[in-house]
Amino acid sequence: LGLYERALQMLAAAPSNLSTDWFQIQLLLDCKRPLEALDALVQIELKYAADPETTFGAAYYRSIALHTIGQQSQAIELLKSIVQI
């Protein structure tokens, strides 16, 4: 396993909180697992709906995942929406 995969395994044993949840997204993207990252983003948005930064963070990471799977135009539009807010 690569280091990112190993870090994901270790993170699974850690208590879930805002920091570890965002770190999981970053690791999933680093492991080239954008579809799993997109699924995890939905859970983060639900779990931390009261945190206004969650919307921006989720949009940013979603744009990276979309770009990774070849959805460049959607990724760009998502980033444009962040800038316009």
Side-chain angles (χ1 to χ4, degrees):
L1 293 175
L3 293 178
Y4 294 129
E5 291 285 344
R6 188 96 165 95
L8 264 176
Q9 287 179 343
M10 293 174 69
L11 189 63
S16 178
N17 62 46
L18 182 64
S19 297
T20 58
D21 289 346
W22 284 116
F23 188 44
Q24 178 192 24
I25 299 297
Q26 183 62 54
L27 288 172
L28 287 169
L29 292 170
D30 289 341
C31 291
K32 308 293 186 223
R33 293 162 58 176
L35 297 178
E36 289 178 58
L38 288 170
D39 287 340
L41 281 167
V42 172
Q43 298 307 311
I44 285 177
E45 287 177 301
L46 294 172
K47 188 174 180 180
Y48 303 107
D51 180 4
E53 291 183 18
T54 297
T55 302
F56 295 104
Y60 173 74
Y61 279 118
R62 184 170 283 115
S63 69
I64 293 171
L66 289 170
H67 185 270
T68 303
I69 61 173
Q71 302 289 324
Q72 286 83 3
S73 60
Q74 278 186 281
I76 291 169
E77 290 303 315
L78 198 49
L79 289 175
K80 283 181 182 178
S81 74
I82 293 172
V83 173
Q84 292 174 354
I85 294 177

